[in-house]
Amino acid sequence: MKFLVSSKPLNQIETDAVIAFGFSDSATTEEKLIDKYFGGMASQLRQAKDFTGEKNKVRLVFPSGKGPRVVLAGLGAKAELKIESLREAMSAACQALKGLPVKTVSLLLPSLPKFSASDSSAALTEAFLLSNYEFVYYKAPEKDKTRIEELELISAAKSSQNAIRSGIKFGQILSEAVIFARDLGNHPSNVATPSHLAEHALELQKSHPQIRTKILHRAEIQKENMGALLAVSQGSDEEPKFIVLEYRAGRKSQPPIVLVGKGITFDSGGISIKPSDKMEEMKYDMMGAATVMGTIKAASKLKMPVNLIGLIPATENLPSGKAIKPGDIIRSRSGKTIEVVNTDAEGRLILADALDYAKKYKPSLVIDFATLTGAIVVALGDDLTGAFTNQENLLPKLKAAAETTGEKIWPMPLEKDYEQFIKSDFADLSNTGSIRYGESIRAALFLQNFVDYPWIHLDIAGTAWATREKPYRPKGATGIGIRLAIEFLKKFGK
Ligand code: BES
Ligand code: ZN
Ligand code: ZN
């Protein structure tokens, strides 16, 4: 995709479409430009109520079949404008252009005092790239399909061109990382195996000079006494991998932030097998891993001055004659024993070993990303990530980051009284109890047994996968969490 920045007058544009935004309570300067060069078109559409500026409502006009098509996209009420409104309106505009023979698009950058030119351009670039994402690896190419190849951002203010360029760059880097994660999640589990994740992690080291990758294979995992990861993997013919990514661009004395990602490349449930309905979606049970890889990729491309470690326990969860069985007792890396009451509660097992491994970095913070529980989907739906933390003063910062990136989070409690439900009669811990209520909290409480540092646990089971089209998130893996993590890291410690 090619990006151009200019301050061309509209009669000089040569693109196939031009996008402009409008509010529901007032016309914008850009609409006036459309009026000036297209015979009062924007005002006429407003008068006819064909365009109202209502949030995410779009009108596309192709006046006489020549020149550019004009797309007007609604931002909603001016006073309620958020940076996310820009992404959503841009996504709606891209949707309107889908299927049309449009290769090049001009975008009239809205002049919004509320946001810097760089932030607006970044948001619009993200929405543009992420809306046009398609996962096409396994489909015969569609004949005669036109794809957008070029976006020209037009701003009358020549002085903001550098800011616009840096915004585009930021948006491109983040979108590339999100797309990288989406691809990992959309590949089927016969391709996206633990080894496949490891290969991509090694590839990150090759293409990003600041990233160091280390892969622990079975023997090293054994040496590390990661009994929980080994136990989950023992039903599978695929070798487990423990992936370590290091990106150190912060001060040497600065303790790192560790990102941990659940990397179950397929979750059948194991012997406690899942019902077959929607089981095919369980290829996305590695989106925590993809989020960690994508975040470190983006941080490195942005040259962020931080020290980051990524830890990814990766395995399949399958039933077989060798698989762990309900009632089995395993010894985790920490030394704590776990009774595996349900083999489908495998995420917390592999995370237990990773969270324990994280201790050796003496981290200032650990954030884990995990498609951990079906219960979080019941509680919060597919738009909100459940956020648990032992450091509640971090929540406002996380919420602020979520506000900016449009990846909503909702605080969840580490309710002490529920600890009784993960006690076992036979081992130090049970991986789930006999009462099936409050499972997301229980899972988080289980993880808490393996941390001794400031910690945030993000249960992304509902948000990592879209079963319905959402603005700039087509169906399938969403790549949620990467933009959130980068935004949070920008502010963390400040
Ligand atoms: N990977 C699942 C959680 C999940 C469910 C992710 C739906 C995405 C969508 C996890 O490993 C799991 O199976 N959890 C069980 C735990 C239960 C057996 C205690 C669950 O949530 O039902
Ligand atoms: Zn499971
Ligand atoms: Zn799982």
Side-chain angles (χ1 to χ4, degrees), residues 54-101:
E54 227 179 297
K55 212 169 177 316
N56 305 341
K57 289 270 161 61
V58 209
R59 189 59 60 200
L60 182 144
V61 186
F62 197 10
S64 50
K66 57 181 202 292
R69 293 154 188 83
V70 174
V71 183
L72 294 177
L75 293 169
K78 191 170 182 177
E80 283 161 33
L81 185 77
K82 296 193 180 122
I83 195 87
E84 180 66 359
S85 325
L86 287 184
R87 289 193 198 94
E88 291 190 356
M90 183 66 182
S91 166
C94 291
Q95 210 58 38
L97 291 172
K98 269 202 183 137
L100 297 178

Side-chain angles (χ1 to χ4, degrees), residues 9-32:
L10 281 193
N11 56 349
Q12 281 177 23
I13 63 171
E14 287 160 16
T15 48
D16 302 322
V18 52
I19 302 173
F21 298 108
F23 294 115
S24 56
D25 42 9
S26 59
T28 55
T29 332
E30 294 72 40
E31 282 181 77
K32 292 192 185 112

Side-chain angles (χ1 to χ4, degrees), residues 262 264 266-269 272 274 278 281-282 284-286 317 341-348 370-377 431-433 435-436 439-440 442-443 459-465:
K262 172 175 172 182
I264 295 288
F266 189 75
D267 183 11
S268 70
S272 316
K274 287 180 182 294
K278 292 272 182 293
E281 289 182 356
M282 278 303 114
Y284 86 86
D285 213 14
M286 37 52 71
N317 183 25
V341 169
N342 190 314
T343 65
D344 197 10
E346 84 299 335
R348 62 198 81 175
T371 48
L372 203 62
T373 62
I376 205 72
V377 199
N431 76 333
T432 182
I435 301 169
R436 293 271 333 233
E439 191 54 50
S440 306
R442 225 147 30 146
D459 193 335
I460 57 170
T463 48
W465 184 261

Side-chain angles (χ1 to χ4, degrees), residues 53 55 124 175 186 240 242 298 306 423 437 452 456:
K55 212 169 177 316
L124 292 163
S175 306
N186 285 330
F242 189 84
V306 287
K423 290 219 164 93
Y437 303 129
D452 65 357
I456 298 174

Side-chain angles (χ1 to χ4, degrees), residues 460-480:
I460 57 170
T463 48
W465 184 261
T467 45
R468 59 182 173 111
E469 290 267 345
K470 297 193 216 174
Y472 68 92
R473 294 175 193 93
K475 282 186 190 175
T478 60
I480 194 99

